Amino acid sequence: MIAKKVLLNELGKEQKKKGFVSKKKLKEIAKNVCLPESEVFSAATFYSFLSLEKRAKHIIQVCNCPSSHLHGSDRIMKYLEKKLKVKAGHATKNKLFFLSETSCVGLCDKAPAIIIDGKPYVKVNEKKIDKILRKLK
Ligand code: FES
């Protein structure tokens, strides 16, 4: 259990630092946390906040689980798709933003929630999104 926490911490640090986790880094992390490379690879491909390749400068994840859904996450996703001119699961042409859905991020009481570059934003609406995007551009 502790090794897995250390593993996720190491993967998260690399994701934040480089914007992705390279295969070389996966091997290095596996060695450091004494876990098989297959287990490290599984973790790196399971969690939506991790990527094995550089997607874009900023990663935007919209929670699509029940609480966020009930509080308008579909509307938020459509707004982001229109605003960024990109569909979920893709990066903008200039590689500034990558937009995707994610499962519950544990902020159900403050839904709808989105995560941008690992930072949570809660009770988001169109006005809040405009303000956030202006700061990121
Ligand atoms: S359902 Fe969106 S944060 Fe839990």
Side-chain angles (χ1 to χ4, degrees), residues 2-93:
I2 290 172
K4 287 192 177 179
K5 281 185 181 177
V6 173
L7 168 62
L8 288 178
N9 188 35
E10 289 299 308
L11 290 170
K13 277 198 296 192
E14 184 67 7
Q15 178 72 37
K16 191 171 184 178
K17 184 176 163 190
K18 301 266 180 157
F20 72 107
V21 184
S22 69
K23 287 184 180 151
K24 183 180 171 192
K25 191 66 180 180
L26 284 180
K27 286 181 182 185
E28 191 182 310
I29 290 172
K31 193 175 173 187
N32 291 345
V33 298
C34 301
L35 287 171
E37 285 178 29
S38 60
E39 196 165 332
V40 175
F41 180 81
S42 291
T45 53
F46 178 79
Y47 292 100
S48 63
F49 68 95
L50 297 170
S51 172
L52 299 181
E53 58 188 29
K54 181 95 174 161
R55 295 177 187 158
K57 184 175 180 187
H58 301 291
I59 309 296
I60 301 175
Q61 299 171 292
V62 179
C63 176
N64 65 359
C65 287
S67 184
S68 286
H69 187 74
L70 286 172
H71 289 88
S73 63
D74 279 1
R75 191 187 75 244
I76 297 300
M77 178 58 91
K78 282 183 182 136
Y79 184 73
L80 280 164
E81 286 180 333
K82 188 175 175 188
K83 182 104 185 162
L84 300 175
K85 297 181 178 95
V86 68
K87 289 285 180 196
H90 298 277
T92 55
K93 282 184 183 169

